[in-house]
Amino acid sequence: MEKVKQSPKRVFINNIDSYSSKHIAKFVSECVVGTSVDPDGEMETEEEERMKSNNSGAAAFQVVGSVSEKSDEDRPHVLEEYLGLDRDQLLPKLMSCDVIIYNISQHSEQVEEALWAVSALHNEMGNFSGPKTFILISTVMTWACSKPVDPDDVELPFTDQIFWRRRAHPSFKQHIDLEKRVVKMGKTNRTLFSTYVVASGLQYGMGEQVFHFFFKTSWLGQEPQIPVFGDGSNIIPTIHINDLASVIQNVIEHQPKPYYLLAVDYSNNTMENIVKTVASALGPGKIQKKPFEEAFLTKDLSTTEIDSMLVNLRMEGVYVKELFSINWQCESGLVENMELVVEEYRQSRGLLPIRLCVLGPPAVGKSTVSKQICEHYKLHHITLKETISETITQLENTVKRFDPDAENEDSAAEAHDLLNRLKDSMEQSGGHMDDQLLVKVLKVKLMSNPCRNQGFVLDDLPKTYEQAKELFSAEEDESEDGTSHISSHSRKIMPEFVLRLDATDAFLKDRVMNLPERLVQEHNYEHEHFLRCLASYRENNMEDETVVNYFDEQDMTPLNLEITSSDEPDCLLLMQKIYDTVGKPRNYGPSSQEVEEEDMRKAEEKLRREALERAQEEQMEVKEARHRTARWEEWTNGLEEVRQQEEELLEAQSVPMRNYLLEHVMPILTQGLIECCRVRPHDPVDFLAEYLFKNNPSDY
């Protein structure tokens, strides 16, 4: 008999670039034919088994959908994306699909379009090429103001069997009106056009949306206490986004008779329990109750999210439980599955810790490099001195807060014992600590939430092969074949990158010689002590078991960096090489406040730079004016000196002529003038000339 192939159903989902629809689209696209479970638990017929066998492994659905904005995000699971289509263009796209899903649980502005879509499809029923299914993903906020099922039994849950008793939150009136319209239009001809309303609990998982504020605040670790708005006793109906997608898949495949379903997990977690569990898994572990009005002052929370988190509903999805066999991912809810959800949150948002270890001889610049790495990647700088000091302070505070009547007597006693051991060890070893205590203190620090969230840089730690072995592989799990491997606990603190800085002894000695006295005292680099430390480092690194060798044994090749200069350009090149090796930061990036502060800082820096440039230009102009004045004065003085020299030269050159005139010419001229006065000739000039010619001095 010829094999019959079942063609995949074409599924439209709106806003597939939003949190909720994105994950539903991905889940649905990955469903394959033959994996659905019979909801009735009955034996399949031979024909049904044959059909599933023939189509096993084939995609059950082809997903198309609309996007709200253009982006570079790659969505290979989506066959077609529609951006900016008007309704005349969008309707043919909907008509070409077997299933139309409109998700209004996240964006209320989609309510109007969803109403148009279901109405337009209902009007086009006569032109359908085959049966179509319309699924509206709504929200439990349409139940927010419902009266109790039984006033005498407040713990009796709401169920989808009594959906007509629901009363919506004032901000969700449009949602409940749309739900009623969708249900009504599906009653015309369910064989040709079936409609469903799936009221979703508050969604979580895969990066978070409604609860993201609490995850982010805890992960950043900047607040000592995570806020709970209101008294926190309200029960929050929730569902993991993948479990919601699984419910949608079952509705598509099984076409159940009930047209209104509640999609909620089996938990009854309060808001306080949820926030406290998030705070313990990612943050300080402490919460602080605040008036719910303060939530409206929080920039990261929208009005819709605030309304959702203040809902108080105990709910049970009876139809989902009875009609479907859901392969639940988080059936027991958010609190019970927090470890899984936190891991999804980190993976989905790329918030993976960066762990580095910086090694090298004394004075090579480990601390400087470590601080620059921490500043660039927003990591935690781990030094032995600060870690011990911080641990002692924490233990002292724990002992001081000890309450004999409280239940934490054992932990307080343990803290007191550890504090005494630390102080005794430091006193007996002259400020040093034995390896066992050192490893214990370091391990507690590295396993703290801040280090697990953002990551850390170990500055010159561990110092020996044994310390490295105890710190990173003290808890080895033995597999069935007898081989040991590092436990998951140790993998969480194992560095990803090992940087080994090195330099010649001559360079290091010269660097220490040129250090300011303050830094010499701070780092204990007195000449004799530094030489002993350097010699000890070189000797230890000639052994077979070194810290670098330990990382080599773990298949981690250190990045060797040779320091040859302290000049700024060389240091910048060194840091750039490290950044290229480690890669891009894995954090949230700057917050809106930090962006504003950075923009303000840049603006102020620009103004200062412009003012400095103007001042420099003015100084140059003044300097040039003074230079021109000086040149003019110099030139004027030079001319005067030349004139004086010329006069002196002329004076010197005229002396012989003057003497000649006085000696030979002036006496004859004087006599000629006297004779001219005596005779009084008609032409005195001609007379005088004639007289001088006759009495020529050359005759003498």
Side-chain angles (χ1 to χ4, degrees):
M1 182 181 293
E2 183 181 354
K3 293 184 178 181
V4 179
K5 289 284 186 180
Q6 180 182 347
S7 60
K9 289 185 178 181
R10 190 177 178 92
V11 179
F12 172 89
I13 304 177
N14 70 312
N15 272 18
I16 54 174
D17 53 347
S18 65
Y19 163 78
S20 183
S21 294
K22 173 176 65 177
H23 292 295
I24 292 173
K26 190 173 188 301
F27 184 95
V28 170
S29 69
E30 293 173 351
C31 295
V32 296
V33 176
T35 58
S36 179
V37 180
D38 182 7
D40 298 324
E42 297 177 355
M43 295 293 292
E44 294 178 339
T45 65
E46 183 178 345
E47 178 65 17
E48 288 173 334
E49 289 182 354
R50 183 181 61 80
M51 288 287 292
K52 285 191 174 184
S53 176
N54 291 342
N55 291 281
S56 180
F61 308 105
Q62 289 180 340
V63 176
V64 300
S66 61
V67 292
S68 58
E69 58 185 18
K70 187 176 182 180
S71 69
D72 296 330
E73 183 178 356
D74 185 25
R75 285 182 281 267
H77 55 280
V78 177
L79 185 64
E80 295 177 8
E81 296 182 7
Y82 311 130
L83 173 64
L85 298 185
D86 60 32
R87 292 180 177 178
D88 291 337
Q89 295 171 318
L90 183 56
L91 183 56
K93 305 294 185 183
L94 301 181
M95 290 287 289
S96 67
C97 296
D98 303 295
V99 180
I100 297 90
I101 300 174
Y102 260 87
N103 187 352
I104 62 170
S105 65
Q106 188 175 355
H107 299 290
S108 58
E109 62 269 16
Q110 290 291 298
V111 172
E112 184 181 351
E113 183 179 314
L115 176 59
W116 163 81
V118 70
S119 301
L121 289 169
H122 183 265
N123 293 336
E124 293 289 332
M125 285 175 56
N127 298 321
F128 284 1
S129 59
K132 296 188 186 301
T133 303
F134 186 95
I135 301 174
L136 179 72
I137 303 177
S138 188
T139 168
V140 293
M141 292 303 293
T142 57
W143 292 70
C145 294
S146 302
K147 295 181 180 180
V149 178
D150 184 353
D152 297 329
D153 186 1
V154 294
E155 294 188 358
L156 196 63
F158 293 101
T159 69
D160 35 19
Q161 294 173 322
I162 55 171
F163 68 91
W164 57 85
R165 297 183 57 179
R166 68 195 187 284
R167 297 292 181 270
H169 185 281
S171 299
F172 291 81
K173 294 289 187 181
Q174 287 183 312
H175 292 68
I176 195 169
D177 291 341
L178 177 58
E179 290 180 2
K180 294 176 181 178
R181 294 288 295 274
V182 168
V183 169
K184 183 178 180 180
M185 292 183 186
K187 293 180 179 179
T188 304
N189 185 349
R190 292 201 70 179
T191 304
L192 189 60
F193 186 51
S194 57
T195 61
Y196 294 93
V197 174
V198 177
S200 165
L202 272 61
Q203 300 152 20
Y204 62 88
M206 305 304 293
E208 301 312 311
Q209 193 258 334
V210 174
F211 301 112
H212 179 238
F213 168 77
F214 304 102
F215 279 78
K216 181 179 180 180
T217 305
S218 299
W219 187 89
L220 290 174
Q222 297 172 352
E223 300 294 334
Q225 296 174 320
I226 308 303
V228 176
F229 301 107
D231 62 9
S233 62
N234 54 308
I235 294 176
I236 307 291
T238 57
I239 188 169
H240 191 283
I241 186 63
N242 285 345
D243 291 331
L244 173 61
S246 183
V247 171
I248 301 300
Q249 175 204 356
N250 276 268
V251 172
I252 296 172
E253 293 185 348
H254 299 304
Q255 299 281 301
K257 184 177 180 180
Y259 42 77
Y260 191 98
L261 301 98
L262 274 176
V264 293
D265 55 35
Y266 294 170
S267 68
N268 286 303
N269 301 138
T270 64
M271 193 66 205
E272 180 179 354
N273 287 339
I274 292 173
V275 177
K276 191 170 185 178
T277 308
V278 173
S280 298
L282 284 169
K286 298 180 180 179
I287 61 173
Q288 180 183 16
K289 294 184 179 180
K290 295 184 177 182
F292 76 90
E293 292 85 0
E294 291 192 20
F296 295 96
L297 303 177
T298 305
K299 292 182 179 180
D300 293 336
L301 288 175
S302 67
T303 303
T304 301
E305 290 171 345
I306 295 171
D307 292 338
S308 299
M309 290 184 297
L310 294 176
V311 71
N312 184 18
L313 292 169
R314 191 184 294 269
M315 311 191 84
E316 181 180 346
V318 174
Y319 288 145
V320 169
K321 182 178 180 181
E322 293 180 351
L323 301 177
F324 305 145
S325 294
I326 303 292
N327 185 18
W328 289 92
Q329 184 167 337
C330 295
E331 184 177 11
S332 55
L334 174 57
V335 171
E336 293 294 326
N337 296 278
M338 184 58 68
E339 185 175 350
L340 168 66
V341 175
V342 164
E343 185 61 27
E344 289 178 348
Y345 161 75
R346 288 183 168 130
Q347 295 290 338
S348 298
R349 292 188 175 268
L351 301 174
L352 304 176
I354 297 177
R355 302 183 296 270
L356 294 97
C357 178
V358 180
L359 305 172
V364 76
K366 299 182 294 296
S367 294
T368 301
V369 169
S370 298
K371 289 176 182 177
Q372 291 184 20
I373 294 173
C374 289
E375 183 177 352
H376 182 77
Y377 290 102
K378 295 185 179 180
L379 308 180
H380 301 280
H381 186 199
I382 309 298
T383 64
L384 182 58
K385 182 178 180 181
E386 291 180 358
T387 301
I388 294 174
S389 176
E390 178 184 326
T391 302
I392 290 176
T393 301
Q394 291 175 349
L395 291 173
E396 288 176 342
N397 291 335
T398 301
V399 172
K400 287 179 182 178
R401 292 195 302 266
F402 170 59
D403 182 2
D405 299 328
E407 297 179 357
N408 59 349
E409 182 177 354
D410 292 339
S411 60
E414 183 180 349
H416 189 271
D417 178 63
L418 181 57
L419 178 62
N420 291 335
R421 289 173 59 195
L422 281 174
K423 290 183 176 180
D424 292 343
S425 178
M426 297 289 286
E427 291 175 0
Q428 294 174 5
S429 57
H432 297 282
M433 186 184 300
D434 65 72
D435 283 359
Q436 186 178 4
L437 272 178
L438 184 148
V439 167
K440 184 173 183 177
V441 169
L442 278 179
K443 189 169 290 188
V444 170
K445 176 67 176 178
L446 299 184
M447 286 299 296
S448 64
N449 279 336
C451 288
R452 291 182 61 185
N453 289 341
Q454 291 85 31
F456 54 81
V457 177
L458 282 168
D459 185 352
D460 199 25
L461 291 169
K463 294 183 177 296
T464 65
Y465 179 92
E466 288 300 323
Q467 287 180 6
K469 187 176 180 181
E470 288 293 322
L471 183 60
F472 301 123
S473 59
E475 299 179 15
E476 291 188 346
D477 300 330
E478 188 169 311
S479 57
E480 294 180 358
D481 58 3
T483 60
S484 60
H485 59 278
I486 299 176
S487 65
S488 59
H489 173 88
S490 298
R491 280 196 297 270
K492 292 177 182 178
I493 62 175
M494 173 68 77
E496 292 179 81
F497 305 96
V498 179
L499 309 181
R500 183 174 179 270
L501 310 182
D502 206 353
T504 63
D505 288 0
F507 175 83
L508 296 174
K509 293 175 184 177
D510 183 65
R511 170 178 278 185
V512 171
M513 289 291 292
N514 292 297
L515 282 177
E517 184 62 26
R518 177 183 60 82
L519 293 179
V520 171
Q521 296 294 331
E522 180 180 340
H523 295 284
N524 198 16
Y525 281 163
E526 287 81 4
H527 184 66
E528 295 298 329
H529 183 265
F530 169 74
L531 292 180
R532 286 197 301 271
C533 291
L534 180 59
S536 176
Y537 174 84
R538 297 299 187 198
E539 182 180 352
N540 292 337
N541 276 270
M542 294 297 291
E543 299 177 358
D544 294 334
E545 293 186 344
T546 64
V547 179
V548 174
N549 290 343
Y550 172 80
F551 289 117
D552 282 333
E553 293 172 3
Q554 307 304 320
D555 295 327
M556 297 176 60
T557 304
L559 175 62
N560 295 307
L561 300 169
E562 188 72 21
I563 310 299
T564 58
S565 171
S566 298
D567 296 337
E568 185 175 354
D570 294 325
C571 294
L572 291 176
L573 288 174
L574 172 71
M575 295 309 302
Q576 189 58 51
K577 186 174 183 180
I578 294 174
Y579 298 153
D580 291 342
T581 301
V582 177
K584 295 180 180 180
R586 308 172 192 167
N587 49 41
Y588 275 103
S591 64
S592 57
Q593 181 179 354
E594 290 173 335
V595 170
E596 292 176 2
E597 293 175 353
E598 180 66 15
D599 291 342
M600 187 178 297
R601 185 191 65 79
K602 288 181 178 179
E604 293 175 351
E605 184 179 347
K606 183 180 180 181
L607 291 174
R608 285 197 300 269
R609 186 168 59 251
E610 291 175 350
L612 179 61
E613 290 174 354
R614 286 196 299 270
Q616 290 175 342
E617 290 175 359
E618 292 173 357
Q619 288 179 353
M620 288 296 295
E621 290 176 358
V622 171
K623 190 173 182 180
E624 289 178 2
R626 290 177 179 174
H627 182 65
R628 286 195 299 269
T629 302
R631 290 289 300 274
W632 174 258
E633 292 176 354
E634 181 182 352
W635 184 70
T636 305
N637 294 336
L639 286 178
E640 182 66 24
E641 184 178 350
V642 170
R643 186 184 62 78
Q644 184 176 354
Q645 290 176 354
E646 289 178 348
E647 289 179 353
E648 291 176 355
L649 179 61
L650 290 174
E651 181 72 20
Q653 291 176 347
S654 64
V655 170
M657 179 62 70
R658 193 165 51 245
N659 291 338
Y660 173 78
L661 292 174
L662 289 174
E663 183 178 354
H664 299 290
V665 176
M666 290 306 294
I668 300 302
L669 179 60
T670 301
Q671 291 177 5
L673 291 172
I674 293 172
E675 188 64 23
C676 182
C677 291
R678 187 182 63 79
V679 176
R680 296 183 180 179
H682 177 73
D683 189 356
V685 176
D686 185 62
F687 175 82
L688 182 60
E690 186 67 25
Y691 182 84
L692 292 176
F693 181 74
K694 289 180 180 181
N695 298 284
N696 189 348
S698 61
D699 294 342
Y700 297 98

